[in-house]
Amino acid sequence: MVEESLLELTGREDVLQPLLSASNSSSLHEALEFLIQASRDAVGRAELALRNILPTVLKLVESLHGASSREYLIPFLKLLRNLCAGEVANQNSFLEQNGIEIVLTVLRSAALASDPDFGIIRFSLQVLANVSLAGAEHQKAIWLKLFPNEFFMLAGILSQETSDPLCMILYTCCDGRPGLATELCRDPGLPIVASLICTVASVGFREDWFKLLLSRLCLEDIHFPEIFFKLSEGNASENRGNTALGDNHFSSKQAFLLRIISEILNERIDEVRVPNDFASCVLEIFKRSLRIVDFATRGKSGLSTGTTSVDVMGYSLIILRDICAGDSVGDLKKDFVDAVDMLLSNELLDVLFSLLRDLELPSTIRKALKDGENQELISRSSKLCPYKGFRRDLVATIGNCAYRRKHVQDEIRQKNGILLLLQQCVTDDDNPYLREWGIWSVRNLLEGNAENQQAVADLQLQGTVDTPELTELRLRVEVDQNTRRAKLSLPDLFARLVILDCLKSNVTPWFLVVFGDGGSNKVSEKVDHYGAIIGGIVSNSKLL
C-alpha cells in the first residue's frame, strides 16, 4: 500500500492527515489526484493556501527524495509546482519553509545519479520557476542558491524536458533583476550560457523561454559578443569579444546562435531596437565569414546548409537585413544614432555591392544568353551563390537600407548601384523571391529622389533578348530607332504601367530587355511584375 510505504519513510502518521482532510479522502492516492486537480486554478490554490497545505507537501518531498520512491515523489512535486503557480501566500511559504534548499537537494540527487531522472529534474525546476515569478526577493533567493555551480550542472543535462524550465528560471531572474544578466554573461556565469546553448542546439526546445532569454541577453542588453565568442571551439580567453581578430574558424554552436537570434529579430522586428554594438559585431562577423566561405560551389539548399561558415555568413546577413528593416528613419528619436548609418559608416554598402557584382548572373539571364558575346558575360562572374537565397538576401538588405533614406539613395547612385539593382528584378532558380525583393529595392531607391529617377530615365536601350516565355506571351519591346530607348521610360514602367495596368486591368506585363548605361558594357535584364507584390509597392509597406 502507498500509505504504508509512506508511513515507513516519514515515520509519522499525522503528516498525511492534512492532505486527506483537505481532499476529504480516505486514500492518499485519491487525495493526490484531487489536490493536483484542485490546484490547477487560482481559487483552488487560494483555498489550499488557507489550509496551509504547502508545508506538509514540502515535508513529504524532503522525506522521499533519498528513497527509491519516484512513484510517490513525482505526484508531490506536481502538487508543489501547482501550489506555487501564481499564489503569493504559497510562494512566500515556500521561502519560509526552506523550500529552495529542499527542492535543490532533490535536483542534485536526480541530476548526479548514474541514470539521471529527467522527470524529477523537470518538475523540480518547474517548482523553482513558478516561485521565481513572485518577484525580486524570490529571484534573489533562488539565484544565491543555484548560481553558478547548480546552474552550470543543470545547463549541461542533455534533455529538452529540463532545459525549458531552466531557461524560464534564468530569464525570469534576469528580467526581474537586470544586474543578474550582466553577472550571467561574465565569468563565472558565461559558461552557464554557453553550456545551455550547446544543450539546446543538441536537443531542441519546445517553449519560448530559450528565445526570451537570448533576446534579453543579446538584443535588449549588450552581451552578444561575449556569448558568441565563448561558443568558438578554440575558445581562447584572449579571443572573446574581439571581432577584428584574424581567426578564421566558426563553430556550429555559433551558427546555431545566429540562427536563433535571426528568428527572434524577425519575429520582434517592430518591438526590438537592437544596440549598435550588436549591429557592429554582426557586421564584423559577416565580413569575416566572407573570407572563409568557398564561393566556388553553388549551394543546393537554403539555410541551414550544414556548412558552418556558410550558415554563419547567411544568418548574419539576414540579421543585418532585419536590422535595416527595423530602424525606420521616422521612428528614430533625435538623440538616437541610426544603426543603418552606423553600418554604412562601416562599409556595409561597399561589401554588399562588391558581392553582387562578383556573383554569377541569375539563372533566367544565363538561360537567355546564348551567343558568343553573351557567353563572355557569363564567364566574367567569379562567385556562385553558396546557398539558395544569398543574392536575394543581399538585395533585400540594400533595399531596406534605402527605405526613405535619401542620403542612402544618393550613395547608391554615386556608387553606380542603380543599374546593378535593376538587374536584380528577375526570376532566379537559386534565389526564391529575388524578383519581388528587386522591385521593392528599386521602388525604395526611386521614392522621393528626383536624381535617381532621372538616372533611370536616362538609361539607353541597347537591345532585346528573345526567350520562349516572351514568345508565348506575344509581347515585345518597341524601340525608338533614333534614341535607342523604349517608348516607356522606367519611371513610367514602374508607376504607370504597373499601377494602372495591373491594378485596374489585372494585366501581368512581362518585358525582357537589355539596358546599358550609355557605355560599352552591356547588361541583360528581365523585369517581371506580378500583381502579388504590387500592394507592397503602392502602400509603401515593408517586405520581411
Side-chain angles (χ1 to χ4, degrees), residues 36 40 45 54 58 70 73-87 90-91 94 99-100 103-104 106-107 117-134 138 142 146 151 154 159-170 172-173 206-207 209:
I36 289 172
R40 289 180 183 275
R45 287 191 291 270
L54 187 137
L58 271 177
R70 186 181 191 275
L73 185 55
I74 289 289
F76 282 118
L77 286 172
K78 286 183 180 179
L79 177 56
L80 189 60
R81 173 198 64 188
N82 292 358
L83 290 171
C84 293
E87 176 52 54
N90 286 332
Q91 292 165 332
F94 184 86
I100 296 176
V103 171
L104 184 53
V106 174
L107 271 174
D117 193 316
F118 299 141
I120 290 178
I121 298 171
R122 176 178 177 80
F123 289 123
S124 299
L125 286 172
Q126 287 176 340
V127 172
L128 296 176
N130 282 345
V131 173
S132 71
L133 294 172
H138 299 70
I142 291 172
L146 276 72
F151 277 145
L154 294 166
S159 170
Q160 192 179 92
E161 289 184 87
T162 63
S163 59
D164 282 337
L166 177 59
C167 288
M168 179 180 175
I169 295 172
L170 292 172
T172 303
C173 290
R206 285 195 297 262
E207 302 169 8
W209 296 110

Side-chain angles (χ1 to χ4, degrees), residues 464-484:
T464 62
V465 178
D466 295 323
T467 67
E469 295 91 342
L470 189 63
T471 303
E472 289 175 8
L473 290 176
R474 298 181 181 179
L475 295 176
R476 64 192 179 91
V477 179
E478 296 184 9
V479 181
D480 187 315
Q481 296 301 322
N482 294 320
T483 64
R484 296 300 297 164

Side-chain angles (χ1 to χ4, degrees), residues 6 103 131-132 247 259 267 346 359 391 403 415 484 491 497 526:
L6 284 174
V103 171
V131 173
S132 71
D247 174 27
R259 176 171 74 83
E267 293 164 359
N346 284 278
L359 283 179
R391 178 193 294 273
Y403 183 75
K415 293 180 181 296
R484 296 300 297 164
L497 181 60
K526 171 181 169 184

Side-chain angles (χ1 to χ4, degrees), residues 61-305:
V61 169
E62 186 176 22
S63 301
L64 291 170
H65 86 272
S68 300
S69 52
R70 186 181 191 275
E71 59 180 308
Y72 314 137
L73 185 55
I74 289 289
F76 282 118
L77 286 172
K78 286 183 180 179
L79 177 56
L80 189 60
R81 173 198 64 188
N82 292 358
L83 290 171
C84 293
E87 176 52 54
V88 176
N90 286 332
Q91 292 165 332
N92 290 339
S93 178
F94 184 86
L95 284 191
E96 294 164 2
Q97 299 294 324
N98 199 30
I100 296 176
E101 188 61 46
I102 291 173
V103 171
L104 184 53
T105 302
V106 174
L107 271 174
R108 290 194 190 104
S109 179
L112 297 176
S114 57
D115 184 17
D117 193 316
F118 299 141
I120 290 178
I121 298 171
R122 176 178 177 80
F123 289 123
S124 299
L125 286 172
Q126 287 176 340
V127 172
L128 296 176
N130 282 345
V131 173
S132 71
L133 294 172
E137 180 184 356
H138 299 70
Q139 293 155 7
K140 179 180 179 181
I142 291 172
W143 194 266
L144 290 175
K145 291 287 187 180
L146 276 72
F147 182 87
N149 296 333
E150 272 65 28
F151 277 145
F152 182 73
M153 171 191 67
L154 294 166
I157 297 175
L158 294 175
S159 170
Q160 192 179 92
E161 289 184 87
T162 63
S163 59
D164 282 337
L166 177 59
C167 288
M168 179 180 175
I169 295 172
L170 292 172
Y171 169 76
T172 303
C173 290
C174 291
D175 198 51
R177 296 172 57 84
L180 298 184
T182 301
E183 191 173 352
L184 188 60
C185 293
R186 296 176 179 171
D187 288 332
L190 197 54
I192 298 170
V193 181
S195 179
L196 183 58
I197 292 173
C198 292
T199 293
V200 176
S202 299
V203 303
F205 61 95
R206 285 195 297 262
E207 302 169 8
D208 288 335
W209 296 110
F210 179 65
K211 282 187 172 182
L212 287 170
L213 177 61
L214 288 186
S215 179
R216 183 71 177 79
L217 300 179
C218 297
L219 297 178
E220 297 168 44
D221 282 338
I222 55 173
H223 306 300
F224 172 77
E226 295 92 337
I227 295 172
F228 183 81
F229 290 100
K230 181 67 177 179
L231 292 171
S232 66
E233 288 180 352
N235 195 33
S237 59
E238 65 271 15
N239 289 354
R240 288 201 298 274
N242 189 352
T243 58
L245 296 173
D247 174 27
N248 63 355
H249 185 73
F250 293 109
S251 73
S252 60
K253 303 306 183 294
Q254 289 175 315
F256 173 76
L257 174 63
L258 288 170
R259 176 171 74 83
I260 299 300
I261 294 295
S262 71
E263 291 176 5
I264 296 169
L265 185 57
N266 189 263
E267 293 164 359
R268 304 184 62 194
I269 200 162
D270 293 324
E271 304 172 28
V272 176
R273 176 77 66 191
V274 302
N276 282 2
D277 288 346
F278 168 81
S280 177
C281 181
V282 172
L283 177 59
E284 290 305 313
I285 291 170
F286 177 64
K287 288 180 179 179
R288 201 173 74 186
S289 69
L290 296 177
R291 301 195 294 268
I292 304 169
V293 169
D294 179 10
F295 286 92
T297 303
R298 184 180 297 117
K300 297 181 180 179
S301 69
L303 299 171
S304 74
T305 64

Side-chain angles (χ1 to χ4, degrees), residues 9 64 136 174 259 365-366 515 519:
L9 291 168
L64 291 170
C174 291
R259 176 171 74 83
I365 304 303
R366 296 199 306 269
F515 291 105

Side-chain angles (χ1 to χ4, degrees), residues 27 53 57 311 382 429 433 446 467:
S27 162
I53 291 297
V57 179
D311 288 342
S382 60
D429 294 340
Y433 301 106
L446 301 182
T467 67

Side-chain angles (χ1 to χ4, degrees), residues 255-521:
F256 173 76
L257 174 63
L258 288 170
R259 176 171 74 83
I260 299 300
I261 294 295
S262 71
E263 291 176 5
I264 296 169
L265 185 57
N266 189 263
E267 293 164 359
R268 304 184 62 194
I269 200 162
D270 293 324
E271 304 172 28
V272 176
R273 176 77 66 191
V274 302
N276 282 2
D277 288 346
F278 168 81
S280 177
C281 181
V282 172
L283 177 59
E284 290 305 313
I285 291 170
F286 177 64
K287 288 180 179 179
R288 201 173 74 186
S289 69
L290 296 177
R291 301 195 294 268
I292 304 169
V293 169
D294 179 10
F295 286 92
T297 303
R298 184 180 297 117
K300 297 181 180 179
S301 69
L303 299 171
S304 74
T305 64
T307 302
T308 299
S309 58
V310 173
D311 288 342
V312 167
M313 179 190 68
Y315 288 124
S316 58
L317 176 58
I318 290 173
I319 291 172
L320 292 171
R321 178 200 70 187
D322 288 347
I323 289 174
C324 295
D327 280 300
S328 300
V329 171
D331 299 333
L332 295 178
K333 299 178 181 179
K334 292 182 180 179
D335 59 347
F336 187 85
V337 178
D338 186 4
V340 176
D341 286 336
M342 183 278 298
L343 292 171
L344 293 174
S345 69
N346 284 278
E347 304 178 333
L348 175 62
L349 276 184
D350 292 328
V351 173
L352 298 177
F353 278 129
S354 176
L355 287 166
L356 270 182
R357 290 189 175 99
D358 289 344
L359 283 179
E360 64 175 345
L361 296 174
S363 62
T364 300
I365 304 303
R366 296 199 306 269
K367 293 174 184 177
L369 302 178
K370 296 179 180 179
D371 57 54
E373 180 182 4
N374 290 330
Q375 286 295 330
E376 182 181 352
L377 285 175
I378 298 177
S379 65
R380 291 177 187 173
S381 303
S382 60
K383 294 181 179 180
L384 306 181
C385 287
Y387 68 87
K388 284 186 176 294
F390 178 62
R391 178 193 294 273
R392 173 203 63 213
D393 294 338
L394 293 173
V395 173
T397 306
I398 296 172
N400 282 345
C401 283
Y403 183 75
R404 296 183 178 178
R405 293 181 175 88
K406 189 175 186 301
H407 64 290
V408 179
Q409 298 168 347
D410 292 339
E411 183 176 355
I412 291 174
R413 182 184 70 252
Q414 293 159 7
K415 293 180 181 296
N416 298 317
I418 292 180
L419 191 57
L420 186 60
L421 284 179
L422 286 169
Q423 294 169 4
Q424 313 308 316
C425 302
V426 300
T427 56
D428 187 356
D429 294 340
D430 298 318
N431 288 274
Y433 301 106
L434 173 64
R435 175 186 60 230
E436 288 81 355
W437 275 111
I439 295 175
W440 159 251
S441 298
V442 171
R443 173 240 173 263
N444 288 350
L445 186 63
L446 301 182
E447 182 189 25
N449 195 308
E451 296 93 335
N452 284 359
Q453 293 174 12
Q454 186 61 47
V456 173
D458 288 343
L459 291 173
Q460 294 186 8
L461 188 67
Q462 301 295 325
T464 62
V465 178
D466 295 323
T467 67
E469 295 91 342
L470 189 63
T471 303
E472 289 175 8
L473 290 176
R474 298 181 181 179
L475 295 176
R476 64 192 179 91
V477 179
E478 296 184 9
V479 181
D480 187 315
Q481 296 301 322
N482 294 320
T483 64
R484 296 300 297 164
R485 293 185 183 180
K487 287 187 176 180
L488 285 174
S489 67
L490 272 181
D492 286 332
L493 184 80
F494 280 91
R496 186 179 305 162
L497 181 60
V498 172
I499 295 175
L500 295 182
D501 286 359
C502 287
L503 293 186
K504 292 186 177 181
S505 306
N506 292 320
V507 172
T508 303
W510 187 355
F511 289 87
L512 181 63
V513 296
V514 180
F515 291 105
D517 58 3
S520 60
N521 187 21

